[in-house]
Amino acid sequence: MSTNTKTILWVVVLIIIIGGGYMLYNSNREPADTSPIKIGFIGPLTGDGSSIGTVNRVAVEIAAEEINQKGGVEGRKLEVVYEDGRCDSTTATKAANKLINIDKVSAIVGGLCSSETSAFGPAAMDSKVIVFSYGSSAPSLSKLGKYFFRSYPSDSFQGIFAAEYAYNTLRARKVAILYHNNDWGTGIKDVFIKRFKELGGEILVEEGAPQTVKDYRTQLAKIKDVKADVIYAPLYPDGSIVALTQAQNLGISTVFLGGDAWGDPKMQQAVSGRGTLYFVEADMLLTDEFKAKILARSGGDQVPLGTANAYDNVYIIASAIAKAGTDPDMLANTIRATRYTGISGNIEFDENGDLKTASYVVKKIENGSAVVVK
Amino acid sequence: MDIIPQLIVNSIIAGAIYTLIALGFNLIYGTVKFFDLGYGALATVGGYSVFLFYKELGFNLYLSVLIALLITGLIGVLLNWCIYEPLRRRKASSMVLLVASLGVLTMLQAIIAILFTSQFQTLTRNSGVQRVFEINGAVITGTQTIILVTGLLIMAGLALLLHYTRFGKEIRAISDDEEVAKIVGINTSYVVSGVFFIGSAIAGFAGALIGFDTGIEPTMGLSLLLKGVIAAIIGGVGNVYGGVLGAFLLGFVENFGIWQISGEWKDAIAFALLLIFLLFRPQGIFKR
């Protein structure tokens, strides 16, 4: 190698080092306060539960736009990255990994389904990312960690309410249970059984099935055989459409009491008329103005569960970031101290990030929609 | 009320559904000797074709089903031409073909999800009550009866085809030894295409009927295929009648298995049955 070539090589190396160093230096010095604040959204945008998740997304979009119109968070724009969680643990985990590692969000609004949140929650806790669910209700989520919050009540409330409603209002003494064998279904039916037995009721059979199953005939035949007063059915929407059709074919006329997943408008249309169908849903003080705002963009005729909560979550996160910045520990402490009266009601957290109180209503599915039972 | 009649009927319904899947699967496996996982996706394609023509475009029911059969049959032939045939000509191992067919399954599933969303859909136009027959206290719907009857008819039809037609004899010759069949002058590529057409159309038909019974979603193919494959293995893989027997055995074991224990055990029972057969009678009930 001639001296000339060597010199040229050294010059090239030098240029690369100096140039690279300059660029690194520059990128570090970039003023951080005008870059947008990124938060993530996870919910079922396709598949099971997507008629709920897509409306939830609309609420987040509107909240973020409103905040940005009012000048953003301390002058920084709020940017939301939307990912599909499909109510499914694997998909939700992939979505969360992308949000945490690639988009580097400081908080995730989501998921809707407990199967989503319980799957990606632990990884988010390890990466110190705030998880703020608007619809996951599995009691087991309370143990997730200090960066977890939810504006939707835990099923330890819903299961108790459902048991009391079945016993006191529906006057049921013997109950059969058909549930989906996932975080949400097993969590809620365990609480239900405990409370219902405390009240003096009897559980005749407990039949489970995986969420994806489309044949409930034998489970239903067993349930029909025991002649229960009420069938408690914490099932997800897609499975419910099949199960309730098969129940009707089998000639089951017992009253069904479902969980908040039956707040899915698509499912209500599909199963309307398939027997007496009640379900328990968190009570929300939705204003007409909010409903109109959502429906104008979603194009549907219902504001399903989680929508108001998702909207409130964005506001709570934005105001907490404005106060505490994006440091995860400061942010978690600020959110925990929040007292907020939002569209979904009074939001106040206990040490697990759960709501301190919750109120429920019972709705009945009829004419393709759901009405509150007085 | 005694639930045994209903359990028997439920087992028969499940068995009939698995029969439909196992029949075409066994026909294809018996001829080309590889596990065609893409077969599951063809059931999905069948369901969605009926959805498109019957529910979205408002065609007549029978016409829609007929179009669905043609579409799935042709897609089956096309997949064979473009993917399986070249691989087989290259003497690819059945492992390679298995992986290729897994690719087909995933690809078709993804395409359907893009075209039709992954929402769960029902095929029936009016959400009205289905016609229900009652036998001795047990209930079966009209659609389920059709599944049962057509399953048995297709089995009989395949038996006739395989034993009494020239085409069927050629299929059996290829199934015995493809090289020899070629030497004696059978146009194997033409016969294999025919097998893929018939097998895929059966899958499409199964998908359509199951769509009317419960509903359709892009991922329905894999779970159907799994049960169909278990039925095929129990009955004797590649054996058309064995598949039917295996399907009904699976249906009965699954449904009676959860008679006294809780329903979430159903899949565990089905796969335990598969493992028992694989360990103690790997050739299945009927040896080919």
Side-chain angles (χ1 to χ4, degrees), chain B residues 180-202:
Chain B
V180 176
K182 233 180 244 173
I183 292 166
V184 299
I186 295 173
N187 183 347
T188 54
S189 143
Y190 165 78
V191 175
V192 169
S193 297
V195 166
F196 267 95
F197 185 85
I198 297 170
S200 307
I202 295 175

Side-chain angles (χ1 to χ4, degrees), chain A residues 69-92:
Chain A
Q69 270 166 16
K70 288 178 209 142
V73 182
E74 299 282 281
R76 294 169 68 180
K77 223 173 134 253
L78 191 65
E79 189 184 315
V80 189
V81 185
Y82 300 90
E83 292 294 332
D84 185 5
R86 281 196 181 176
C87 267
D88 159 73
S89 48
T90 325
T91 320

Side-chain angles (χ1 to χ4, degrees), chain A residues 287-308:
Chain A
T287 57
D288 289 337
E289 183 204 348
F290 180 75
K291 279 185 192 164
K293 203 155 66 177
I294 297 290
L295 294 179
R297 191 175 305 192
S298 72
D301 55 5
Q302 274 199 59
V303 177
L305 70 97
T307 310

Side-chain angles (χ1 to χ4, degrees), chain B residues 6-253:
Chain B
Q6 188 64 54
L7 279 184
I8 294 174
V9 168
N10 287 351
S11 311
I12 293 175
I13 297 169
I17 291 172
Y18 304 152
T19 298
L20 274 178
I21 299 290
L23 274 173
F25 179 81
N26 262 339
L27 179 71
I28 293 179
Y29 181 88
T31 318
V32 293
K33 304 285 188 314
F34 75 90
F35 264 66
D36 183 9
L37 298 181
Y39 185 78
L42 288 167
T44 321
V45 170
Y48 274 90
S49 306
V50 173
F51 176 75
L52 176 69
F53 289 102
Y54 177 65
K55 206 169 174 181
E56 301 275 277
L57 302 177
F59 280 37
N60 170 290
L61 171 64
Y62 301 101
L63 186 64
S64 314
V65 174
L66 197 69
I67 297 174
L69 292 187
L70 280 176
I71 290 177
T72 45
L74 288 176
I75 290 180
V77 172
L78 210 67
L79 289 172
N80 179 43
W81 274 351
C82 304
I83 300 163
Y84 304 137
E85 175 107 33
L87 284 174
R88 272 158 36 83
R89 215 180 294 134
R90 234 182 280 160
K91 301 263 179 274
S93 70
S94 47
M95 188 64 204
V96 171
L97 283 157
L98 176 90
V99 174
S101 70
L102 181 64
V104 167
L105 172 76
T106 318
M107 184 187 75
L108 286 180
Q109 230 172 54
I111 293 175
I112 290 172
I114 292 165
L115 294 178
F116 296 95
T117 78
S118 23
Q119 291 252 3
F120 178 77
Q121 317 262 17
T122 47
L123 280 187
T124 36
R125 266 191 203 152
N126 47 357
S127 58
V129 191
Q130 284 211 33
R131 192 142 55 113
V132 169
F133 303 103
E134 212 179 308
I135 321 145
N136 204 6
V139 177
I140 184 167
T141 67
T143 314
Q144 290 156 2
T145 318
I146 295 173
I147 293 179
L148 178 61
V149 172
T150 48
L152 296 175
L153 282 179
I154 291 173
M155 183 191 81
L158 278 182
L160 289 176
L161 176 85
L162 287 174
H163 287 276
Y164 296 103
T165 65
R166 192 189 155 82
F167 183 65
K169 285 176 184 155
E170 288 173 346
I171 294 176
R172 283 178 19 212
I174 295 174
S175 149
D176 283 342
D177 193 321
E178 195 171 344
E179 288 306 312
V180 176
K182 233 180 244 173
I183 292 166
V184 299
I186 295 173
N187 183 347
T188 54
S189 143
Y190 165 78
V191 175
V192 169
S193 297
V195 166
F196 267 95
F197 185 85
I198 297 170
S200 307
I202 295 175
F205 191 58
L209 283 178
I210 291 160
F212 277 107
D213 183 33
T214 51
I216 52 173
E217 58 190 333
T219 50
M220 69 192 264
L222 185 62
S223 49
L224 282 176
L225 179 84
L226 279 179
K227 292 291 171 70
V229 169
I230 298 179
I233 290 175
I234 295 174
V237 69
N239 184 312
V240 170
Y241 325 103
V244 177
L245 202 64
F248 282 103
L249 181 65
L250 177 63
F252 272 90
V253 170

Side-chain angles (χ1 to χ4, degrees), chain A residues 46-47 50 179 181 206-208 214-215 217-219 221-222 225 227 238 242 246 249-250 266 274, chain B residues 1 3 6-7 10 13 118-120 127 129 139 141 144 213-214 217 255 258-259 261-264 266:
Chain A
T46 62
S50 58
Y179 66 98
N181 202 358
E206 235 183 285
E207 290 291 325
K214 296 291 177 293
D215 176 1
R217 283 181 279 261
T218 294
Q219 282 96 329
K222 287 167 77 177
D225 190 46
K227 299 197 176 55
D238 284 358
V242 179
Q246 289 171 350
N249 288 338
L250 284 172
K266 181 196 71 177
R274 303 239 183 275
Chain B
M1 185 197 80
I3 67 166
Q6 188 64 54
L7 279 184
N10 287 351
I13 297 169
S118 23
Q119 291 252 3
F120 178 77
S127 58
V129 191
V139 177
T141 67
Q144 290 156 2
D213 183 33
T214 51
E217 58 190 333
N255 285 291
I258 58 166
W259 181 13
I261 57 172
S262 181
E264 58 268 28
K266 209 170 179 181

